[in-house]
Amino acid sequence: MGDSTRRRVRDASSSGSDVGITIGSGAHTPTRKYAFEIEDPASYARLPLATRLTNRWHEFYGNKDFGNIVLLIALYWLQGVPLGLAHGSIPFLLKEKLSFAQVGLFSLAGYPYSLKLFWSPIVDSLYDRKFGRRKSWIVPIQLVTALMFWWMGAQIDGLVRNPAENIHEIMYLFLALVFLSATQDIAVDGWALTLLSKENLSYASTCQTVGINSGFFLSFTVFLALNSVEFGNKYIFSEPRDQGWLQLGPYMTFWALIYVLVTLYLVVFKTEDESSEDSEGSYGIVETYKTIWRICKLPHMQQFIGVLLVAKLGFIPNDSTTQLKLIERGLHREDMALAVLIDFPVQIFFGYYAARWSQGASKMRPWRVAFVLRLLCSVLGMITVYFFPEAGLTTSYFYVVLLSRVAGSMASTVQFVGMSAFITQIADPVIGGTYMTLLNTLSNFGGTWPVYFIMRAVDYFTSATCLLPTGLGDSFSCTTQESRDRCLKEGGSCNTVWDGYYIVSISCTLLALALFFSYIRPTVHHLERLPAHVWRVSKESTR
């Protein structure tokens, strides 16, 4: 299509940092500072759908960067595989035998992705020029990841079968995988800016969105379904079995081989073009860290950082524990996987319209509206848990669960795009990459740091005792799924006096509501009215 059919948005500088606007999940998908395009539907809405799809495919396939686009998708896809396990499947597998506090301990494995800013200057500055600036990091990281996947393929099923004894080992293993994935992400982001020609830079964010979300989807939705005993007995096996069709070990072994194949392709067939360097590439390690510190010292930046670190407190119980609580109440893993599958296109759809909504003078207005909607979705999540049918999930109640999830994702996506638009607006274009990476990192961290403490609090405030018939033994705590199953097997009943999930969820919702009206809303309203020059940091002053 011609340029007349496109609205092109371009940041003032080019950098390999993770900044800008993309469509995806705020906790698990980082943002990028790339040029991007929003197609104008009015220009081609009259064409038949088949014609539009055919035209788009010919445009994409005939692109001179087609091979590089496919390579970028593959690299981001590899990145999404361990993230889908660490943020999706593993917590579900662990919750079947562990308490919320123990699952909260595992959540620490996801921290590196929210903190990668602090070692990204090292990745950008240290490399072997002959081998390639980005390949110097991508190749060894992917080989190490492949070795870890191969070793874990032989060990992980045994570890997960006894998670209470091995929770620390499981956490450290996935912490290392997420760290490697985050480091690979830094290098791939930077490579995208020279791997694609200038006119095709808009495809960089598309590659990231398609790649990471596809890898995440396979490791979360598809794996959970194929790992489910109920799903296998219903759709795959001719005779009932006591294990799902796909176990975690073989799944990780398969991806170890894929990592090796993609890495060998990079070594043998791909060379880097060093002719184009970012304007920020001249920054050394020390200069970059000095720049970050100067940004944090700006007069209004401390207020904004405070908002970023506390704004998601009210949503964390719903985002991190509601799905696990529904599984505990009887929702099957394949049902949750189906809900995630339906939810994915909704995020894409509302991400597009949220981007249009956030183009006005008050870019944070959609974010503020979505804040309240997201709190309402948290309340709806609590209601779906409380009224979950004792006899098991029904079709009508599945739609209630689906509505709760989709509404929450819609509000989350609107907030994500609104915040990204505001960050893009205030970032100093002279040091845009460093500036926007800092703010996006802090925004991601605001949704990561409370998870561990909230999950521990759920267990702390929960009081549940297994009452056994007289003469069959002493009562014991039944706060985990394994202890509840043991209670029922021994003929007892698990009596819940206090459910910490509701205590923590209600407390966080009320706290978030109070913070919103007393601090977050007036602060954001003040900050978005400030002139652009108050956010600027001159490059010379950082030296």
Side-chain angles (χ1 to χ4, degrees):
M1 295 182 182
D3 291 340
S4 62
T5 65
R6 297 172 178 167
R7 177 179 301 142
R8 187 177 300 274
V9 183
R10 185 74 186 268
D11 201 286
S13 63
S14 295
S15 167
S17 303
D18 299 349
V19 286
I21 299 177
T22 186
I23 298 170
S25 167
H28 305 148
T29 305
T31 50
R32 305 283 188 271
K33 185 191 68 59
Y34 295 133
F36 66 94
E37 300 171 347
I38 299 177
E39 295 290 348
D40 182 7
S43 64
Y44 58 92
R46 291 184 293 272
L47 294 174
L49 176 60
T51 303
R52 296 201 303 262
L53 292 176
T54 302
N55 290 342
R56 293 294 290 173
W57 169 250
H58 285 306
E59 179 185 350
F60 176 69
Y61 184 74
N63 194 297
K64 66 179 182 179
D65 286 335
F66 176 77
N68 290 336
I69 290 172
V70 172
L71 175 61
L72 275 180
I73 292 175
L75 293 175
Y76 282 124
W77 194 311
L78 293 181
Q79 188 184 132
V81 169
L83 295 180
L85 292 175
H87 292 288
S89 295
I90 301 301
F92 278 91
L93 297 178
L94 295 179
K95 187 60 187 73
E96 295 177 352
K97 298 182 179 181
L98 299 181
S99 65
F100 278 100
Q102 291 169 311
V103 176
L105 177 64
F106 176 80
S107 72
L108 297 175
Y111 276 36
Y113 219 93
S114 298
L115 298 172
K116 60 184 175 178
L117 166 72
F118 298 107
W119 64 90
S120 62
I122 299 174
V123 177
D124 282 334
S125 302
L126 301 179
Y127 56 92
D128 182 349
R129 185 174 296 275
K130 290 183 178 180
F131 189 60
R133 181 177 185 179
R134 307 304 175 181
K135 285 171 60 179
S136 296
W137 287 91
I138 295 174
V139 169
I141 284 172
Q142 291 188 172
L143 289 177
V144 172
T145 305
L147 287 174
M148 287 197 64
F149 265 68
W150 185 268
W151 183 85
M152 291 174 68
Q155 305 292 329
I156 194 64
D157 286 326
L159 295 174
V160 172
R161 272 194 291 270
N162 299 291
E165 300 175 4
N166 303 309
I167 184 61
H168 288 89
E169 186 174 351
I170 295 171
M171 188 271 289
Y172 287 130
L173 287 171
F174 279 95
L175 179 74
L177 284 177
V178 173
F179 173 80
L180 291 170
S181 181
T183 307
Q184 186 247 29
D185 176 69
I186 297 168
V188 173
D189 287 347
W191 198 9
L193 295 176
T194 55
L195 194 61
L196 300 180
S197 57
K198 187 175 181 179
E199 63 269 24
N200 286 321
L201 280 178
S202 59
Y203 285 110
S205 59
T206 303
C207 294
Q208 177 265 331
T209 301
V210 172
I212 289 186
N213 284 325
S214 297
F216 195 98
F217 176 76
L218 279 180
S219 288
F220 183 22
T221 307
V222 175
F223 172 76
L224 275 187
L226 297 179
N227 181 256
S228 168
V229 176
E230 293 83 1
F231 182 88
N233 288 334
K234 186 175 182 180
Y235 297 107
I236 300 176
F237 304 133
S238 57
E239 296 181 359
R241 301 186 185 181
D242 57 0
Q243 280 192 330
W245 182 79
L246 180 62
Q247 299 306 303
L248 185 56
Y251 181 79
M252 298 191 75
T253 301
F254 167 78
W255 281 106
L257 297 174
I258 300 299
Y259 265 91
V260 171
L261 291 176
V262 174
T263 306
L264 288 177
Y265 172 81
L266 290 179
V267 173
V268 177
F269 298 105
K270 202 65 187 172
T271 57
E272 290 192 48
D273 179 12
E274 296 293 337
S275 61
S276 177
E277 291 292 336
D278 297 338
S279 61
E280 289 183 57
S282 58
Y283 267 24
I285 298 176
V286 175
E287 287 82 1
T288 302
Y289 285 121
K290 285 183 178 179
T291 301
I292 293 172
W293 178 242
R294 283 194 61 82
I295 293 171
C296 293
K297 288 168 60 179
L298 287 172
H300 304 289
M301 188 56 66
Q302 290 90 344
Q303 298 178 53
F304 190 40
I305 291 174
V307 170
L308 293 177
L309 292 179
V310 303
K312 298 178 182 178
L313 271 174
F315 319 134
I316 300 301
N318 186 51
D319 293 346
S320 62
T321 61
T322 294
Q323 294 183 77
L324 299 177
K325 200 69 181 177
L326 287 170
I327 296 291
E328 182 182 288
R329 293 297 299 270
L331 183 68
H332 293 154
R333 280 185 280 160
E334 63 271 19
D335 295 324
M336 182 57 69
L338 178 59
V340 174
L341 174 63
I342 297 173
D343 176 51
F344 178 71
V346 173
Q347 292 189 38
I348 301 296
F349 178 81
F350 278 99
Y352 169 78
Y353 284 101
R356 295 171 61 97
W357 190 16
S358 301
Q359 291 174 4
S362 180
K363 286 182 168 54
M364 290 294 281
R365 183 173 180 272
W367 185 90
R368 293 194 297 270
V369 172
F371 188 101
V372 178
L373 291 177
R374 207 166 166 190
L375 285 181
L376 292 176
C377 290
S378 297
V379 175
L380 178 60
M382 284 186 277
I383 293 173
T384 59
V385 173
Y386 186 81
F387 289 103
F388 194 90
E390 293 291 337
L393 182 69
T394 61
T395 302
S396 59
Y397 205 79
F398 174 75
Y399 290 122
V400 175
V401 174
L402 182 62
L403 172 65
S404 174
R405 179 174 179 85
V406 169
S409 293
M410 178 194 71
S412 175
T413 301
V414 171
Q415 273 204 304
F416 172 75
V417 175
M419 178 62 71
S420 297
F422 179 67
I423 291 175
T424 303
Q425 181 187 46
I426 68 174
D428 188 340
V430 177
I431 51 170
T434 302
Y435 204 115
M436 297 175 70
T437 301
L438 170 65
L439 294 181
N440 284 310
T441 297
L442 291 171
S443 179
N444 289 336
F445 188 62
T448 303
W449 74 263
V451 174
Y452 170 75
F453 303 100
I454 284 175
M455 284 194 163
R456 286 194 65 87
V458 169
D459 267 6
Y460 180 82
F461 291 108
T462 296
S463 175
T465 304
C466 178
L467 304 178
L468 296 172
T470 305
L472 293 183
D474 298 329
S475 60
F476 55 87
S477 175
C478 54
T479 57
T480 68
Q481 185 62 46
E482 190 173 36
S483 60
R484 278 189 292 274
D485 292 341
R486 174 191 163 196
C487 181
L488 294 175
K489 186 179 294 185
E490 295 183 9
S493 61
C494 188
N495 180 38
T496 301
V497 181
W498 297 103
D499 193 330
Y501 165 75
Y502 300 109
I503 296 174
V504 173
S505 296
I506 292 172
S507 300
C508 287
T509 301
L510 294 177
L511 175 61
L513 204 59
L515 283 172
F516 178 72
F517 287 106
S518 65
Y519 173 65
I520 296 174
R521 183 185 178 190
T523 300
V524 169
H525 190 66
H526 165 69
L527 293 177
E528 71 178 351
R529 292 188 168 198
L530 293 174
H533 68 81
V534 304
W535 302 97
R536 300 294 186 249
V537 177
S538 64
K539 186 170 182 179
E540 289 75 13
S541 62
T542 66
R543 296 187 181 278

